[in-house]
Amino acid sequence: MALFSAPPSPLGDLLQTITFAAEKHIHQRRKNALKTPYINHPLGVAHILWFEAGVEDIATLQGAILHDTVEDTDTTFEELERHFGAEVTRIVKECTDDKHLPKMERKRLQIENAPHKSDKAKLVKMADKIYNLRDLQKEAPEGWTRERVEEYFVWAKKVTDGCKGVNGRLEAILAGIYAKGP
């Protein structure tokens, strides 16, 4: 994918990020019945940050849009740093699971590491969980049992509890989601 040269601007940076993520996630789909394009997820996470949490920091929004690229595509951290710089890459690194580890270990580490993340990574983590939890409230992914959905809610709360203290709006949204349940 060719990135175009244009005068530096926050809006241009954000548009480059969206284009990059869309190209990287082009063949991926969500696991819902409609098989919606995967790119809806990272864009939705950024949307939550901007419109519901009042987050205007471009690096945080870029981190939200790119948060799954290394974990779920052929993207490397070096590639991200080359295109988007060190700060955005650090946010993505903090939000990326090591896919070489077993799933349960990755989930355990998300809980354990959440309190130690940067504020920007915590914002992305909370918005990511909000998006996923809302999706689960609408429809379980294909093959998921009610029990698995409930387990996700319990696990997500443990992760997001470790992110408290950076954005009261996100915390209030999460509290409402957890109170309502799956």
Side-chain angles (χ1 to χ4, degrees):
M1 170 185 59
L3 293 179
F4 301 102
S5 178
S9 76
L11 180 57
D13 292 344
L14 200 56
L15 291 171
Q16 290 286 36
T17 306
I18 292 166
T19 300
F20 182 91
E23 290 284 331
K24 290 296 187 169
H25 292 294
I26 195 165
H27 298 293
Q28 293 177 305
R29 301 280 182 236
R30 294 287 278 178
K31 294 177 182 175
N32 59 5
L34 293 176
K35 302 283 188 234
T36 54
Y38 191 84
I39 191 63
N40 292 6
H41 170 66
L43 293 177
V45 172
H47 188 274
I48 289 166
L49 288 171
W50 179 272
F51 288 99
E52 296 183 61
V55 174
E56 296 181 359
D57 178 69
I58 296 298
T60 303
L61 297 171
Q62 288 177 285
I65 293 164
L66 298 168
H67 79 273
D68 281 335
T69 54
V70 173
E71 193 172 311
D72 294 342
T73 75
D74 64 355
T75 306
T76 65
F77 290 120
E78 295 76 23
E79 185 178 10
L80 288 181
E81 186 151 359
R82 209 170 41 252
H83 292 298
F84 305 106
E87 182 181 19
V88 172
T89 303
R90 274 192 304 274
I91 295 166
V92 174
K93 275 184 183 178
E94 288 185 79
C95 295
T96 300
D97 287 347
D98 181 350
K99 289 286 211 157
H100 295 99
L101 297 174
K103 182 179 179 178
M104 293 310 292
E105 178 65 6
R106 293 192 312 261
K107 290 175 78 94
R108 185 190 69 76
L109 286 171
Q110 277 200 42
I111 296 166
E112 184 178 303
N113 294 332
H116 311 292
K117 295 192 178 302
S118 68
D119 287 354
K120 292 178 181 189
K122 286 178 180 180
L123 290 168
V124 173
K125 274 288 182 193
M126 287 192 291
D128 178 42
K129 296 298 184 262
I130 288 168
Y131 189 97
N132 288 336
L133 291 163
R134 285 175 172 166
D135 261 8
L136 289 172
Q137 285 177 323
K138 287 183 244 169
E139 170 189 29
E142 291 182 346
W144 280 44
T145 63
R146 175 82 176 161
E147 180 182 35
R148 185 169 177 190
V149 171
E150 290 170 358
E151 288 171 357
Y152 186 92
F153 267 69
V154 170
W155 168 76
K157 185 172 186 328
K158 290 177 184 176
V159 174
T160 59
D161 280 353
C163 296
K164 286 184 176 179
V166 296
N167 189 290
R169 291 181 191 176
L170 292 176
E171 290 178 34
I173 292 165
L174 285 162
I177 289 171
Y178 294 132
K180 183 177 179 184

